[in-house]
């Protein structure tokens, strides 16, 4: 990884993953990609699949709060990718949740159930 931004983001994803593991979540996947989008982390919290978007910022406030980068369009891409993941992996019997983890100089914040599935997709 030569791009410092990618390296910084990957470090943030690892921190987020470890944070969730320490809380008892089970790791399933990282950087799951389709043509329509990417999911940073796929975790399991009991019988719930948790699709996690990780946002990192070097400094809080310079470009708004990190969670503000999770726009409606981004939510649609995450939703579509999550439903593809569920179908591809056969997880239809699980509930789902979308969380956001932010990391900046103010620390790590975990926003549980940050948004609901967006769009009219079915699986």
């Amino acid at each position: 990884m030569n791009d410092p931004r990618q390296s910084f983001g990957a470090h943030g994803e690892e921190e987020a993953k470890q944070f969730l593991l320490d809380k008892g979540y089970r790791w399933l996947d990282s950087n799951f990609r389709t043509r329509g989008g990417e999911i940073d982390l796929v975790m399991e919290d009991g019988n719930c699949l948790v699709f996690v978007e990780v946002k990192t910022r070097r400094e809080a406030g310079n470009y708004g709060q990190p969670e503000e980068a999770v726009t409606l369009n981004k939510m649609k891409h995450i939703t579509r990718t999550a439903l593809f993941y569920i179908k591809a992996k056969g997880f239809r019997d699980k509930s789902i949740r979308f969380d956001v983890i932010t990391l900046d100089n103010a620390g790590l914040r975990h926003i549980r159930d940050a948004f609901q599935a967006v769009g009219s997709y079915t699986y």
Side-chain angles (χ1 to χ4, degrees):
M1 232 182 260
N2 292 336
D3 184 343
R5 290 172 300 165
Q6 286 180 329
S7 179
F8 185 69
H11 176 72
E13 288 173 13
E14 272 304 310
E15 275 193 56
K17 177 181 166 184
Q18 190 58 54
F19 171 81
L20 293 172
L21 288 171
D22 290 346
K23 289 182 75 169
Y25 289 56
R26 190 168 79 92
W27 174 81
L28 297 176
D29 228 323
S30 294
N31 304 113
F32 180 79
R33 290 180 177 89
T34 66
R35 283 186 306 154
E38 176 186 0
I39 296 175
D40 295 329
L41 296 171
V42 182
M43 307 292 287
E44 195 172 37
D45 181 20
N47 195 41
C48 184
L49 283 180
V50 184
F51 298 96
V52 183
E53 178 68 11
V54 179
K55 289 296 179 190
T56 56
R57 295 283 183 269
R58 292 193 188 282
E59 295 182 34
N62 275 5
Y63 299 98
Q65 295 301 314
E67 59 271 20
E68 292 173 10
V70 184
T71 62
L72 180 60
N73 194 44
K74 181 75 170 168
M75 291 177 207
K76 287 179 183 177
H77 287 282
I78 293 169
T79 299
R80 187 177 318 123
T81 305
L83 293 177
F84 182 88
Y85 184 90
I86 291 165
K87 186 174 180 181
K89 303 289 184 175
F91 283 121
R92 292 183 178 162
D93 61 331
K94 297 203 177 268
S95 59
I96 65 170
R97 189 175 80 222
F98 297 94
D99 289 4
V100 173
I101 291 186
T102 64
L103 295 102
D104 57 24
N105 59 356
L108 182 148
R109 289 180 306 285
H110 179 200
I111 305 166
R112 285 177 55 99
D113 214 5
F115 63 92
Q116 300 299 307
V118 178
S120 57
Y121 309 103
T122 60
Y123 62 91

